[in-house]
Amino acid sequence: MRPFELTAPTTVEAALAETGTYVAGGTTLVDLMKLNVLTPHHVLDINALPLRGIDTADGLRFGALERMSDIAAHPGVYPMISRALSLSASQQLRNMASIGGNLLQRTRCGYFRDVAMPCNKREPGSGCPAVTDANRMHAILGTSGSCVATHASDVAVSLVALDTEIRLVSGQGDRTVKLADFYRLPGDTPAVENDLRPGELITEVIVPRLDWARHSTYVKVRDRQSYEFALCSAAVALHIQDSRIVDARVAVGGVATVPWRLHRVEAALRGAPPTVTAFDEAAGVAAEGAKPLSNNRFKVSLVKSTIFRALVELTKGSSA
């Protein structure tokens, strides 16, 4: 780790007045600093800022510094959010990591985290070895010839499915952006991962009210049961009336370069009965447009089976 200056502003205004890299829980930044992947000269500890609170009065609102474990344990939080948080990392990390930091975490691609290897995210134009080399954990959706790294966040998958917005503030004012629009596909500029502008700070996460999202779940498939990133995950919510699916929300993780909303699957579910046949047909379109790599072709069928599993378990009332 290279030397750096550390300051701890106590107000949002003071934080915005300084130039540097923000740190809250530090569960991503500190790791990457130790590896010399990130080498900020000035780090701003923002834990004293008044960016906390969980409000469930009309939809959900989380202060950006709320810890993952506290949100997961809150009784008013939709199951697909609380389950995604509970299946993330370890309990110790969930007690430290902030919701805002989680949404900004960097990819776990081994090439990105190894400064001896080329990586277009870390050094634009240097190449992407994962396109042809070790790529079992990599994406099959939303990829480009420049990058095939997956997005690491679990809870972002559920939040994108729920049309979540984030509030950002800078010296030029504040703005609200849909989380799905905030994340960027890699294209030819994989180093630009999101729409966070210089000097901006996430202050709040806003989930619109969706009462039927209380009937939801999050399923995570991984190589081991603890502290592992997803090979594939699915966030699913269903609104069922009179033995028909009135509406649905479906998004997947672990298989795409950003949290991946599946509008085609949702459309296939609307109006259908909540049966295994309907679930199988809807899940069948989940991998449309997929571009599997040499070592991750299994993800094409895995994304379908993960969605099918989530739908079946949700309608049976069992947990994943």
Side-chain angles (χ1 to χ4, degrees):
M1 183 183 293
R2 298 181 185 179
F4 61 93
E5 178 187 6
L6 178 67
T7 57
T10 57
T11 67
V12 172
E13 293 74 19
L16 295 176
E18 298 190 57
T19 301
T21 300
Y22 299 123
V23 64
T27 57
T28 292
L29 179 63
V30 173
D31 282 351
L32 295 177
M33 289 174 66
K34 288 178 179 178
L35 296 170
N36 286 326
V37 173
L38 298 179
T39 57
H41 298 293
H42 183 197
V43 176
L44 287 80
D45 181 343
I46 60 172
N47 283 291
L49 302 189
L51 301 178
R52 299 184 186 273
I54 301 174
D55 185 355
T56 61
D58 186 20
L60 305 172
R61 290 175 177 263
F62 312 129
L65 289 177
E66 277 297 329
R67 299 316 188 199
M68 291 169 60
S69 56
D70 292 332
I71 295 174
H74 196 284
V77 173
Y78 302 141
M80 65 196 304
I81 296 175
S82 60
R83 288 186 58 78
L85 289 167
S86 297
L87 292 171
S88 301
S90 65
Q91 182 65 56
Q92 294 91 335
L93 289 176
R94 294 195 298 270
N95 287 343
M96 291 179 60
S98 67
I99 187 68
N102 181 278
L103 299 181
L104 291 173
Q105 68 179 292
R106 307 299 297 275
T107 182
R108 294 289 164 159
C109 174
Y111 297 109
F112 171 74
R113 297 170 69 84
D114 184 350
V115 295
M117 300 297 295
C119 172
N120 287 324
K121 276 188 179 294
R122 194 181 64 250
E123 295 181 40
S126 62
C128 178
V131 172
T132 56
D133 296 338
N135 50 38
R136 177 176 177 270
M137 295 293 291
H138 288 72
I140 60 172
L141 295 164
T143 60
S144 73
S146 298
C147 184
V148 293
T150 56
H151 193 273
S153 175
D154 284 294
V155 72
V157 178
S158 294
L159 294 176
V160 163
L162 294 168
D163 286 326
T164 296
E165 297 178 329
I166 54 173
R167 180 161 292 144
L168 303 112
V169 63
S170 71
Q172 286 68 52
D174 66 291
R175 63 189 180 110
T176 301
V177 180
K178 274 197 173 185
L179 187 60
D181 297 331
F182 178 71
Y183 293 122
R184 293 193 181 180
L185 295 173
D188 295 328
T189 56
V192 182
E193 297 179 343
N194 54 55
D195 190 34
L196 188 70
R197 299 171 184 173
E200 262 189 339
L201 181 67
I202 297 177
T203 60
E204 191 176 27
V205 178
I206 307 161
V207 185
R209 181 172 179 173
L210 193 68
D211 290 338
W212 54 270
R214 301 189 186 284
H215 188 57
S216 64
T217 193
Y218 182 80
V219 168
K220 183 176 182 179
V221 178
R222 46 191 169 173
D223 285 327
R224 59 184 182 184
Q225 280 299 100
S226 63
Y227 197 13
E228 184 60 276
F229 292 87
L231 287 170
C232 182
S233 63
V236 174
L238 291 178
H239 183 196
I240 300 173
Q241 285 185 338
D242 301 325
S243 300
R244 289 282 168 178
I245 300 170
V246 177
D247 208 348
R249 297 291 178 89
V250 182
V252 290
V255 292
T257 54
V258 296
W260 198 258
R261 180 87 175 265
L262 286 167
H263 294 284
R264 286 288 307 278
V265 175
E266 294 173 359
L269 288 168
R270 293 188 189 102
T275 64
V276 292
T277 300
F279 295 160
D280 186 57
E281 291 178 356
V285 301
E288 286 188 350
K291 296 179 180 178
L293 303 166
S294 55
N295 298 311
N296 70 1
R297 296 183 184 278
F298 68 94
K299 286 193 174 186
V300 174
S301 57
L302 183 60
V303 69
K304 300 174 185 177
S305 62
T306 304
I307 293 168
F308 178 80
R309 173 185 164 189
L311 290 165
V312 170
E313 293 184 348
L314 180 60
T315 51
K316 286 186 176 179
S318 61
S319 59

